[in-house]
Amino acid sequence: MEAKVKPQDPRPGRHAARRDEIIQAAWAEAETRGLSAISLTEVARRVGLRQPSLYSYFASKNALIDAMFAQAASSLLHQIEQTDYPASPRDGARLVARTVLQFGVSNPTQSQLIFQRTIPGYEPSADAYAPALQMQDRYVRKLADAGVTAPADVDIFTALVAGLASQQLANDPGGDRWVSQLDTVLDMFFAHLDRRSRT
Amino acid sequence: MEAKVKPQDPRPGRHAARRDEIIQAAWAEAETRGLSAISLTEVARRVGLRQPSLYSYFASKNALIDAMFAQAASSLLHQIEQTDYPASPRDGARLVARTVLQFGVSNPTQSQLIFQRTIPGYEPSADAYAPALQMQDRYVRKLADAGVTAPADVDIFTALVAGLASQQLANDPGGDRWVSQLDTVLDMFFAHLDRRSRT
DNA sequence: GTCTATAACGAGATAGAC
DNA sequence: GTCTATCTCGTTATAGAC
């Protein structure tokens, strides 16, 4: 899948490093212009290159976006996996919710690319989508450990987190007006589960 | 604010009618290309005009988008105001939630323009924003009638509705997988209120 | 009001020298 | 691998005839 080109710089890994720089520049571009309005000319300028030179690293603009998708998904997956979860399964579910919510509001552009279909003409490749699937698997597993197994309950749980994230980003970006309600909302959710299981 | 031009067609209101046609075409364009990628050339083609002719109706592309914003906000406001609310205030709050959620999933493009800031370089004018404010006022009032007055509770309520809408649109567009959970989620919410007020 | 023509710009992508 | 030059296409917006 990777272009087999000999980098000018003899140091191994230089090509990959430059590639990462470009992806970073593309994120910066997306933050200012919007995800769907990334300009390769601007991305190149940010890393001190001319626009055609990017084609030594990415076969097309979509290939660059695909790399961004894979990076964002891997990043969230990594955060979920590296988290130190408490013994209580229910607290574990709470923590994974907090991790995802925190990622969402701290990295709005990454989240937009991963969670919404907002780039016209772009569909993630199977390779790029793999970490996203793995991430969802971890997420669902954490919920299952806490007894959230019914599909409808999983849907509600994800909607609660997504709702807080979307409101936070749209109406109080950078703040914590909605994020601070996560515990209350999860109390609500688990009280609902408990009440239902008692009957 | 309105251009004072004499329409060729002598019938009064012809100009305004054509204007509405153009806005409708722009919505259709936004649905296929995405909101931020509307092309005036395509919009013109859809109404049987050439692209420069649009400038007899809108001073700029942003002016067209502003008209779309105003129309979408007015449409949702109208739906909220025309709804026949039940006597029970709590059922009233449930119904306004359902109305907003239904609008959101039935009109994803309109909702995106109203509720998210997703068009780079566009900010709604004061005129266009007015119906949006009025809509929010009705919404908050309905919640207050049902005893949802604490700002934090209002925030949670809106997040619940937004969460169902965002998940529905992102993961099951056209379906009702999340919409069908609205009643359960509202049960959860009001049970939470009741439980808290009992102590 | 609508048209043709065009200005002015920017995009993504390719060719080929170095 | 990076560059210059260029192709091709698209966009918003304006000028001016009718």
Side-chain angles (χ1 to χ4, degrees):
Chain A
M1 292 311 150
E2 184 68 359
K4 299 296 193 305
V5 282
K6 275 231 176 306
Q8 204 168 36
D9 191 311
R11 279 173 293 182
R14 185 65 223 265
H15 185 80
R18 205 70 150 131
R19 228 181 102 101
D20 284 349
E21 279 179 47
I22 293 170
I23 296 176
Q24 275 316 107
W27 283 122
E29 253 291 279
E31 228 119 279
T32 62
R33 287 213 193 190
L35 248 179
S36 51
I38 292 178
S39 154
L40 295 188
T41 309
E42 274 302 303
V43 171
R45 194 192 51 73
R46 282 176 189 266
V47 294
L49 287 178
R50 305 290 180 168
Q51 173 255 335
S53 304
L54 295 186
Y55 285 83
S56 295
Y57 299 92
F58 299 96
S60 69
K61 184 182 181 178
N62 265 4
L64 170 58
I65 294 176
D66 212 46
M68 296 168 74
F69 186 101
Q71 192 189 71
S74 297
S75 170
L76 176 52
L77 171 62
H78 186 258
Q79 290 208 26
I80 289 179
E81 288 188 332
Q82 292 304 309
T83 299
D84 201 29
Y85 292 97
S88 155
R90 195 164 274 196
D91 285 344
R94 282 178 180 267
L95 188 50
V96 78
R98 178 164 300 277
T99 303
V100 171
L101 178 57
Q102 208 38 262
F103 180 89
V105 300
S106 304
N107 312 310
T109 315
Q110 278 88 332
S111 312
Q112 193 188 346
L113 181 54
I114 303 179
F115 292 119
Q116 299 173 0
R117 302 274 165 276
T118 187
I119 305 258
Y122 168 72
E123 281 298 315
S125 68
D127 281 359
Y129 203 67
L133 287 177
Q134 204 176 339
M135 186 261 295
Q136 176 158 12
D137 184 63
R138 296 273 168 177
Y139 185 86
V140 170
R141 204 176 298 262
K142 271 290 165 198
L143 293 194
D145 290 345
V148 183
T149 50
D153 291 335
V154 175
D155 286 350
I156 289 176
F157 190 93
T158 61
L160 299 182
V161 178
L164 292 175
S166 85
Q167 290 299 100
Q168 185 63 58
L169 287 171
N171 302 316
D172 181 35
D176 74 334
R177 189 169 142 193
W178 275 269
V179 167
S180 65
Q181 300 300 327
L182 176 62
D183 280 329
T184 305
V185 167
L186 292 180
D187 288 345
M188 249 175 57
F189 176 77
F190 286 119
H192 164 74
L193 284 194
D194 292 339
R195 194 178 340 114
R196 205 182 47 190
S197 71
R198 265 200 308 272
T199 65
Chain B
M1 294 318 149
E2 183 70 358
K4 299 298 193 307
V5 282
K6 275 232 175 307
Q8 204 169 35
D9 192 309
R11 279 174 295 184
R14 186 64 224 267
H15 185 80
R18 203 70 149 140
R19 229 181 101 101
D20 285 348
E21 279 178 49
I22 293 169
I23 296 176
Q24 274 317 107
W27 284 122
E29 253 290 282
E31 228 119 279
T32 62
R33 287 213 194 189
L35 249 179
S36 51
I38 292 177
S39 153
L40 294 187
T41 310
E42 273 302 302
V43 172
R45 195 192 50 75
R46 281 176 189 266
V47 294
L49 287 179
R50 305 289 182 168
Q51 173 257 334
S53 305
L54 295 186
Y55 286 81
S56 295
Y57 299 91
F58 299 96
S60 68
K61 183 182 181 178
N62 265 4
L64 169 58
I65 293 175
D66 211 46
M68 296 168 74
F69 186 101
Q71 191 190 71
S74 297
S75 171
L76 176 52
L77 171 63
H78 186 258
Q79 288 208 27
I80 289 179
E81 288 189 330
Q82 292 303 309
T83 299
D84 201 28
Y85 292 98
S88 155
R90 194 164 274 195
D91 286 344
R94 282 178 179 267
L95 188 50
V96 79
R98 180 164 298 277
T99 303
V100 172
L101 178 57
Q102 208 40 261
F103 180 90
V105 300
S106 305
N107 312 87
T109 315
Q110 279 88 333
S111 314
Q112 194 188 345
L113 182 54
I114 303 180
F115 292 119
Q116 299 173 359
R117 302 276 165 272
T118 186
I119 303 260
Y122 168 71
E123 282 297 314
S125 67
D127 280 2
Y129 204 67
L133 288 177
Q134 205 176 339
M135 186 260 297
Q136 176 159 13
D137 184 64
R138 296 274 168 175
Y139 185 86
V140 169
R141 204 176 296 261
K142 271 289 165 197
L143 293 193
D145 290 346
V148 183
T149 51
D153 291 336
V154 176
D155 285 350
I156 290 176
F157 190 94
T158 60
L160 298 182
V161 178
L164 291 175
S166 85
Q167 289 300 99
Q168 185 63 57
L169 287 171
N171 302 315
D172 181 35
D176 74 334
R177 189 169 142 192
W178 275 269
V179 167
S180 66
Q181 300 299 328
L182 176 62
D183 280 328
T184 304
V185 168
L186 292 180
D187 287 346
M188 251 175 55
F189 176 78
F190 285 119
H192 164 74
L193 284 194
D194 292 340
R195 193 177 341 112
R196 205 182 45 190
S197 70
R198 263 202 308 273
T199 65

